[in-house]
Short mmCIF file of all heavy atoms in Angstrom, two decimals:
data_model
loop_
_atom_site.label_atom_id
_atom_site.label_comp_id
_atom_site.label_asym_id
_atom_site.label_seq_id
_atom_site.Cartn_x
_atom_site.Cartn_y
_atom_site.Cartn_z
N ASN A 1451 -0.16 -40.37 37.97
CA ASN A 1451 0.18 -39.75 39.23
C ASN A 1451 -1.06 -39.48 40.05
O ASN A 1451 -1.07 -39.75 41.33
CB ASN A 1451 0.91 -38.41 39.00
CG ASN A 1451 2.28 -38.69 38.46
OD1 ASN A 1451 3.07 -39.44 38.99
ND2 ASN A 1451 2.65 -38.01 37.33
N SER A 1452 -2.15 -38.94 39.51
CA SER A 1452 -3.32 -38.52 40.20
C SER A 1452 -4.54 -38.59 39.35
O SER A 1452 -4.87 -37.62 38.73
CB SER A 1452 -3.19 -37.12 40.88
OG SER A 1452 -4.37 -36.73 41.51
N PRO A 1453 -5.26 -39.76 39.41
CA PRO A 1453 -6.53 -39.87 38.62
C PRO A 1453 -7.48 -38.73 39.09
O PRO A 1453 -8.38 -38.30 38.31
CB PRO A 1453 -7.01 -41.25 39.02
CG PRO A 1453 -5.77 -42.00 39.24
CD PRO A 1453 -4.83 -41.05 40.02
N LEU A 1454 -7.44 -38.36 40.39
CA LEU A 1454 -8.41 -37.37 40.91
C LEU A 1454 -8.12 -36.06 40.23
O LEU A 1454 -9.06 -35.32 39.75
CB LEU A 1454 -8.15 -37.15 42.42
CG LEU A 1454 -8.96 -35.97 43.03
CD1 LEU A 1454 -10.41 -36.25 42.90
CD2 LEU A 1454 -8.55 -35.90 44.49
N LEU A 1455 -6.84 -35.65 40.00
CA LEU A 1455 -6.48 -34.44 39.26
C LEU A 1455 -6.93 -34.50 37.89
O LEU A 1455 -7.49 -33.48 37.31
CB LEU A 1455 -4.97 -34.18 39.36
CG LEU A 1455 -4.42 -32.94 38.60
CD1 LEU A 1455 -5.02 -31.67 39.15
CD2 LEU A 1455 -2.89 -32.98 38.67
N ALA A 1456 -6.80 -35.64 37.20
CA ALA A 1456 -7.23 -35.74 35.85
C ALA A 1456 -8.75 -35.60 35.75
O ALA A 1456 -9.23 -34.98 34.76
CB ALA A 1456 -6.85 -37.17 35.28
N ARG A 1457 -9.47 -36.12 36.66
CA ARG A 1457 -10.92 -35.99 36.70
C ARG A 1457 -11.34 -34.59 36.83
O ARG A 1457 -12.28 -34.08 36.17
CB ARG A 1457 -11.59 -36.88 37.77
CG ARG A 1457 -11.59 -38.34 37.37
CD ARG A 1457 -12.59 -39.10 38.33
NE ARG A 1457 -12.20 -39.08 39.72
CZ ARG A 1457 -11.43 -39.94 40.30
NH1 ARG A 1457 -10.87 -40.94 39.57
NH2 ARG A 1457 -11.12 -39.80 41.57
N GLU A 1458 -10.69 -33.84 37.72
CA GLU A 1458 -10.99 -32.42 37.99
C GLU A 1458 -10.79 -31.60 36.74
O GLU A 1458 -11.50 -30.63 36.38
CB GLU A 1458 -10.24 -31.93 39.22
CG GLU A 1458 -10.75 -32.48 40.53
CD GLU A 1458 -12.25 -32.24 40.75
OE1 GLU A 1458 -12.68 -31.01 40.66
OE2 GLU A 1458 -12.96 -33.15 41.08
N LEU A 1459 -9.61 -31.89 36.10
CA LEU A 1459 -9.26 -31.11 34.92
C LEU A 1459 -10.29 -31.42 33.79
O LEU A 1459 -10.65 -30.54 33.08
CB LEU A 1459 -7.84 -31.54 34.44
CG LEU A 1459 -7.29 -30.83 33.19
CD1 LEU A 1459 -7.35 -29.32 33.35
CD2 LEU A 1459 -5.88 -31.21 32.88
N ARG A 1460 -10.74 -32.70 33.69
CA ARG A 1460 -11.73 -33.06 32.75
C ARG A 1460 -13.02 -32.26 32.89
O ARG A 1460 -13.62 -31.83 31.93
CB ARG A 1460 -11.99 -34.56 32.84
CG ARG A 1460 -12.87 -35.10 31.66
CD ARG A 1460 -14.27 -35.56 32.16
NE ARG A 1460 -14.31 -36.26 33.35
CZ ARG A 1460 -15.39 -36.30 34.13
NH1 ARG A 1460 -16.49 -35.58 33.85
NH2 ARG A 1460 -15.36 -36.93 35.29
N LYS A 1461 -13.45 -32.07 34.17
CA LYS A 1461 -14.61 -31.32 34.43
C LYS A 1461 -14.47 -29.90 34.03
O LYS A 1461 -15.44 -29.32 33.46
CB LYS A 1461 -14.95 -31.42 35.96
CG LYS A 1461 -15.33 -32.74 36.45
CD LYS A 1461 -15.55 -32.72 37.99
CE LYS A 1461 -15.90 -34.08 38.52
NZ LYS A 1461 -16.12 -34.11 40.01
N THR A 1462 -13.32 -29.28 34.21
CA THR A 1462 -13.08 -27.92 33.84
C THR A 1462 -13.15 -27.78 32.26
O THR A 1462 -13.76 -26.88 31.74
CB THR A 1462 -11.67 -27.50 34.28
OG1 THR A 1462 -11.62 -27.56 35.70
CG2 THR A 1462 -11.40 -26.07 33.84
N ILE A 1463 -12.46 -28.72 31.57
CA ILE A 1463 -12.46 -28.66 30.10
C ILE A 1463 -13.94 -28.87 29.57
O ILE A 1463 -14.34 -28.21 28.68
CB ILE A 1463 -11.56 -29.78 29.57
CG1 ILE A 1463 -10.08 -29.46 29.89
CG2 ILE A 1463 -11.72 -29.92 28.08
CD1 ILE A 1463 -9.13 -30.55 29.61
N GLU A 1464 -14.67 -29.79 30.24
CA GLU A 1464 -16.03 -30.12 29.71
C GLU A 1464 -16.93 -28.84 29.78
O GLU A 1464 -17.73 -28.63 28.94
CB GLU A 1464 -16.59 -31.22 30.56
CG GLU A 1464 -17.85 -31.81 30.00
CD GLU A 1464 -18.27 -33.12 30.71
OE1 GLU A 1464 -17.90 -33.27 31.88
OE2 GLU A 1464 -18.95 -33.98 30.07
N LYS A 1465 -16.73 -28.02 30.81
CA LYS A 1465 -17.50 -26.78 30.89
C LYS A 1465 -17.20 -25.84 29.79
O LYS A 1465 -18.02 -24.99 29.50
CB LYS A 1465 -17.27 -26.15 32.27
CG LYS A 1465 -17.85 -27.00 33.48
CD LYS A 1465 -17.46 -26.31 34.80
CE LYS A 1465 -17.93 -27.09 35.99
NZ LYS A 1465 -17.54 -26.50 37.26
N GLU A 1466 -15.93 -25.86 29.27
CA GLU A 1466 -15.54 -24.91 28.33
C GLU A 1466 -15.86 -25.27 26.88
O GLU A 1466 -15.76 -24.40 25.94
CB GLU A 1466 -13.97 -24.69 28.39
CG GLU A 1466 -13.50 -24.10 29.78
CD GLU A 1466 -14.17 -22.69 29.94
OE1 GLU A 1466 -14.16 -21.93 29.02
OE2 GLU A 1466 -14.53 -22.40 31.13
N ILE A 1467 -16.27 -26.49 26.62
CA ILE A 1467 -16.56 -26.98 25.28
C ILE A 1467 -18.08 -26.89 25.03
O ILE A 1467 -18.83 -27.65 25.67
CB ILE A 1467 -16.05 -28.40 25.06
CG1 ILE A 1467 -14.54 -28.42 25.21
CG2 ILE A 1467 -16.42 -28.84 23.65
CD1 ILE A 1467 -13.90 -29.82 25.05
N PRO A 1468 -18.53 -26.05 24.18
CA PRO A 1468 -20.05 -25.95 23.86
C PRO A 1468 -20.53 -27.31 23.36
O PRO A 1468 -19.83 -28.09 22.69
CB PRO A 1468 -20.12 -24.84 22.81
CG PRO A 1468 -18.80 -24.13 22.89
CD PRO A 1468 -17.80 -25.12 23.32
N ASP A 1469 -21.77 -27.51 23.64
CA ASP A 1469 -22.45 -28.80 23.20
C ASP A 1469 -22.44 -28.93 21.70
O ASP A 1469 -22.37 -30.03 21.18
CB ASP A 1469 -23.88 -28.92 23.75
CG ASP A 1469 -23.81 -29.09 25.28
OD1 ASP A 1469 -22.87 -29.63 25.76
OD2 ASP A 1469 -24.88 -28.79 25.95
N TYR A 1470 -22.58 -27.84 20.98
CA TYR A 1470 -22.68 -27.87 19.54
C TYR A 1470 -21.44 -28.20 18.82
O TYR A 1470 -21.37 -28.55 17.65
CB TYR A 1470 -23.27 -26.61 18.94
CG TYR A 1470 -22.34 -25.43 18.93
CD1 TYR A 1470 -21.46 -25.15 17.86
CD2 TYR A 1470 -22.29 -24.51 19.98
CE1 TYR A 1470 -20.60 -24.11 17.88
CE2 TYR A 1470 -21.36 -23.49 20.03
CZ TYR A 1470 -20.53 -23.24 18.96
OH TYR A 1470 -19.66 -22.19 18.94
N TYR A 1471 -20.33 -28.21 19.55
CA TYR A 1471 -18.99 -28.57 18.94
C TYR A 1471 -18.95 -29.96 18.32
O TYR A 1471 -18.31 -30.19 17.39
CB TYR A 1471 -17.88 -28.45 19.94
CG TYR A 1471 -17.20 -27.05 19.94
CD1 TYR A 1471 -17.91 -25.89 19.57
CD2 TYR A 1471 -15.83 -26.90 20.18
CE1 TYR A 1471 -17.29 -24.70 19.56
CE2 TYR A 1471 -15.17 -25.69 20.14
CZ TYR A 1471 -15.95 -24.54 19.79
OH TYR A 1471 -15.32 -23.29 19.76
N GLY A 1472 -19.63 -30.91 18.95
CA GLY A 1472 -19.71 -32.28 18.37
C GLY A 1472 -20.28 -32.30 17.01
O GLY A 1472 -19.68 -32.89 16.07
N ALA A 1473 -21.43 -31.61 16.83
CA ALA A 1473 -22.11 -31.61 15.60
C ALA A 1473 -21.29 -30.75 14.55
O ALA A 1473 -21.25 -31.07 13.37
CB ALA A 1473 -23.45 -30.96 15.70
N LEU A 1474 -20.60 -29.71 15.02
CA LEU A 1474 -19.86 -28.85 14.20
C LEU A 1474 -18.60 -29.63 13.66
O LEU A 1474 -18.27 -29.51 12.48
CB LEU A 1474 -19.36 -27.62 14.96
CG LEU A 1474 -18.39 -26.68 14.18
CD1 LEU A 1474 -19.14 -26.11 12.96
CD2 LEU A 1474 -17.94 -25.52 15.08
N SER A 1475 -18.00 -30.41 14.55
CA SER A 1475 -16.87 -31.27 14.08
C SER A 1475 -17.30 -32.18 12.92
O SER A 1475 -16.55 -32.35 12.01
CB SER A 1475 -16.30 -32.08 15.28
OG SER A 1475 -15.36 -33.04 14.84
N GLU A 1476 -18.39 -32.75 13.12
CA GLU A 1476 -18.96 -33.68 12.07
C GLU A 1476 -19.26 -33.00 10.76
O GLU A 1476 -18.96 -33.42 9.69
CB GLU A 1476 -20.27 -34.41 12.59
CG GLU A 1476 -20.79 -35.47 11.61
CD GLU A 1476 -21.98 -36.15 12.16
OE1 GLU A 1476 -22.35 -35.95 13.33
OE2 GLU A 1476 -22.63 -36.95 11.37
N GLN A 1477 -19.82 -31.78 10.93
CA GLN A 1477 -20.16 -30.94 9.71
C GLN A 1477 -18.97 -30.58 8.90
O GLN A 1477 -18.84 -30.75 7.71
CB GLN A 1477 -20.91 -29.69 10.15
CG GLN A 1477 -21.40 -28.82 9.01
CD GLN A 1477 -22.08 -27.52 9.47
OE1 GLN A 1477 -21.58 -26.79 10.25
NE2 GLN A 1477 -23.36 -27.41 9.03
N LEU A 1478 -17.88 -30.11 9.62
CA LEU A 1478 -16.70 -29.74 8.97
C LEU A 1478 -16.00 -30.93 8.35
O LEU A 1478 -15.34 -30.84 7.25
CB LEU A 1478 -15.77 -29.00 9.97
CG LEU A 1478 -16.30 -27.68 10.46
CD1 LEU A 1478 -15.26 -27.04 11.48
CD2 LEU A 1478 -16.50 -26.72 9.32
N GLY A 1479 -16.03 -32.08 9.03
CA GLY A 1479 -15.52 -33.30 8.44
C GLY A 1479 -16.08 -33.71 7.17
O GLY A 1479 -15.41 -34.12 6.28
N GLN A 1480 -17.40 -33.57 7.11
CA GLN A 1480 -18.11 -33.94 5.84
C GLN A 1480 -17.73 -33.04 4.65
O GLN A 1480 -18.01 -33.37 3.54
CB GLN A 1480 -19.65 -33.90 6.14
CG GLN A 1480 -20.06 -35.02 7.07
CD GLN A 1480 -21.55 -34.89 7.53
OE1 GLN A 1480 -22.17 -33.76 7.21
NE2 GLN A 1480 -22.13 -35.90 8.09
N LEU A 1481 -17.23 -31.89 4.97
CA LEU A 1481 -16.86 -30.91 3.91
C LEU A 1481 -15.48 -31.14 3.29
O LEU A 1481 -15.15 -30.50 2.28
CB LEU A 1481 -16.93 -29.49 4.42
CG LEU A 1481 -18.25 -28.84 4.61
CD1 LEU A 1481 -18.17 -27.55 5.41
CD2 LEU A 1481 -18.96 -28.53 3.29
N ARG A 1482 -14.66 -32.03 3.85
CA ARG A 1482 -13.28 -32.14 3.44
C ARG A 1482 -13.14 -32.46 1.98
O ARG A 1482 -12.29 -31.88 1.24
CB ARG A 1482 -12.55 -33.11 4.35
CG ARG A 1482 -12.47 -32.66 5.79
CD ARG A 1482 -11.70 -33.60 6.62
NE ARG A 1482 -10.28 -33.68 6.23
CZ ARG A 1482 -9.40 -34.42 6.91
NH1 ARG A 1482 -9.77 -35.11 7.98
NH2 ARG A 1482 -8.12 -34.37 6.55
#
Side-chain angles (χ1 to χ4, degrees):
N1451 291 307
S1452 175
L1454 175 61
L1455 177 61
R1457 286 196 297 271
E1458 288 303 309
L1459 182 55
R1460 189 251 316 156
K1461 292 176 184 178
T1462 300
I1463 293 172
E1464 192 167 29
K1465 292 176 183 178
E1466 295 299 319
I1467 300 178
D1469 289 337
Y1470 72 89
Y1471 264 35
L1474 179 61
S1475 174
E1476 183 177 355
Q1477 183 181 57
L1478 295 178
Q1480 291 172 348
L1481 282 169
R1482 293 183 68 175

